Amino acid sequence: MLLAAIDWHILWQRIFHPDHVFVLALWRTIYISVCAQVLGVVLGLIGALMRMSRLLPLRLLSGLYVLIFRGTPLIVQIFFVYFGANLLFGVALIPRTVHFGLFDMDGAAFAGIIALGLNEGAYMREIIRAGIDAVDKGQLEAARSLGMPYRLAMRRIILPQATRFIIPPLGNEFNSMMKNSSLVFFIGVTELFGDAEIRYSTTFKPVEYFLAVAFWYLVLTTVWSVIQAQIERKLAASERGDELSFRERVAAAWLPSGMRVRGTP
Amino acid sequence: MSSNGPIMCASDVVKRFGRLEVLKGVSLDVHAGEVVCIIGPSGSGKTTFIRCINHLEKIDSGRIEVNGHLIGYREAKGRFIEDSEVNIARQRCEIGMVFQRFNLFPHMTALENVIEAPVRVRKVPNVQAIREGEALLAGVGLADKRDVYPGKLSGGQQQRVAIARALAMKPALMLFDEPTSALDPEVIGEVLDVMKKLALEMGTTMIVVTHEMGFAREVADRVVMMDDGRIIEEGPPRHFFEAPREERTKRFLSKIL
């Protein structure tokens, strides 16, 4: 049996007794993904607002941004952000270590976050723009008829409503982000995938280490999908005008869709 | 009715959508405290006209003044330049608008809908805005719905909240764009009652685009008939409904009454 070739002990250890090096790698994957996603949302929002601007240069810039970052491979972008500045301009744009007040960050991890965030922003721009477009046109008219200037109407009326169209695809984007973050291993960041890669190269047991790392990615994405489901539930509830308590919302997230919590005896 | 100048003064307003001329020179004055009902077949430009009054549509020529301020444009050396966003917004504070499809903000409660613009635009202190907002909701008979989201309100209730929301800015002029057209027949009355109260008891200056002839007859000081982008006849409701001059008006009224 081929399965007998697997060293189950290693797999077992990797899953149930992770060492501190592994935990650090897991932590890197999480913070790189979260930071890059936050950066992506911010860039996407700026891009979407630029896209709707009256000024042609802003619209063109926004279009160019999406063209480039959606049109080239992520791995190329990561290399360019990390090595590109040095090679093109002869200066280290991103230092070996980046200082943020109390804590330091590995320069490569920082570059990875920037690259993943830039790439993500291009996709988020489209998602956010579609979300804003999906809000009923009458909402902006109502806000403006009340004397609200465009920016205020956007911030108070349109964007809060657009979020309910943006959140579901945003969740999917974050799911991809956690997996795509493995690419930063190629600029030398030891995150989940990198950890597995290094161990396999010293033990020559690829199947065990990659099975284990696949398991951990699955844990991350599964935990996230539960969180995502809860957020979407809450959004749906507020749209229905139901005022669910926290306990009811948690319960609602676990019940099959269509089943109502409130009013059931 | 006040004798000093009109609150709203439109002269020779022309509006085109592409090659289609929707308003072909509309002139209308509305004085303080006056209620003007605009009637006419669909596609006659009545909705477009009142949307021009608060610059939701840009006019192509002519001029509209509200409270003596030119709407949407600045006059410089005999030319009209579109006004800045901020100035247009300021002018709109003087003009309340009620839409056919209510357009309440669904992510805010009834009270939050009403106080949003006073607090954010007029910078009214929260406590005062809430007090006034509650009074307005009480005025439209919805004091008990202050913390309810629009999704849980009936169409008639939503439209009454929308009226309270527009009134919260203390506008000099209220525009109603077919306020009862999207409502179920049984709740039309409650909205019309609120509008009647505004007109008769509070002396609100109103321009109402409507198909409710009963309302026009009872409440309007003047009825204006529009057809094909022009005002073809206007007059006090008695004369208008009982002895219309124009053939087109007679035909329209015979169909609708």
Side-chain angles (χ1 to χ4, degrees), chain B residues 178-213:
Chain B
E178 303 196 26
T180 56
S181 299
L183 294 174
D184 291 334
E186 72 269 23
V187 299
I188 288 178
E190 68 192 43
V191 172
L192 291 180
D193 285 345
V194 166
M195 290 168 63
K196 253 178 239 175
K197 194 165 111 181
L198 284 183
L200 302 176
E201 290 172 26
M202 297 160 78
T204 313
T205 312
M206 295 165 44
I207 302 176
V208 186
V209 170
T210 188
H211 295 292
E212 295 292 330
M213 295 303 148

Side-chain angles (χ1 to χ4, degrees), chain B residues 12 25 37 65 70 85 113 134-135 142 149-150 159 183 194 201-202 219 230 242 255:
Chain B
D12 230 3
C37 284
E65 283 177 23
L70 195 61
E85 167 86 26
N113 264 280
E134 284 171 338
L142 293 171
Y149 286 88
Q159 192 61 298
L183 294 174
V194 166
E201 290 172 26
M202 297 160 78
V219 180
R230 290 192 179 86
E242 274 146 41
K255 260 186 225 159

Side-chain angles (χ1 to χ4, degrees), chain A residues 139-234:
Chain A
Q139 291 292 312
L140 187 58
E141 288 192 347
R144 298 186 116 171
S145 78
L146 287 165
M148 296 174 88
Y150 181 76
R151 278 185 169 193
L152 183 65
M154 209 38 144
R155 183 162 61 82
R156 295 284 306 170
I157 309 300
I158 306 301
L159 287 177
Q161 293 184 62
T163 40
R164 73 165 192 262
F165 301 110
I166 293 170
I167 294 280
L170 170 65
N172 296 339
E173 285 296 308
F174 185 60
N175 183 302
S176 310
M177 171 65 78
M178 285 190 289
K179 292 171 288 178
N180 286 344
S181 69
S182 56
L183 291 172
V184 299
F185 164 68
F186 294 102
I187 54 171
V189 183
T190 319
E191 39 64 72
L192 265 188
F193 179 77
D195 183 63
E197 178 77 21
I198 289 167
R199 309 255 182 165
Y200 130 73
S201 62
T202 54
T203 58
F204 297 104
K205 292 196 179 295
V207 178
E208 289 79 356
Y209 285 106
F210 287 126
L211 262 182
V213 84
F215 168 82
W216 282 107
Y217 276 112
L218 203 57
V219 169
L220 285 181
T221 52
T222 306
V223 168
W224 172 245
S225 66
V226 171
I227 297 171
Q228 194 187 347
Q230 304 238 14
I231 295 172
E232 285 175 25
R233 277 284 169 173
K234 189 185 164 218

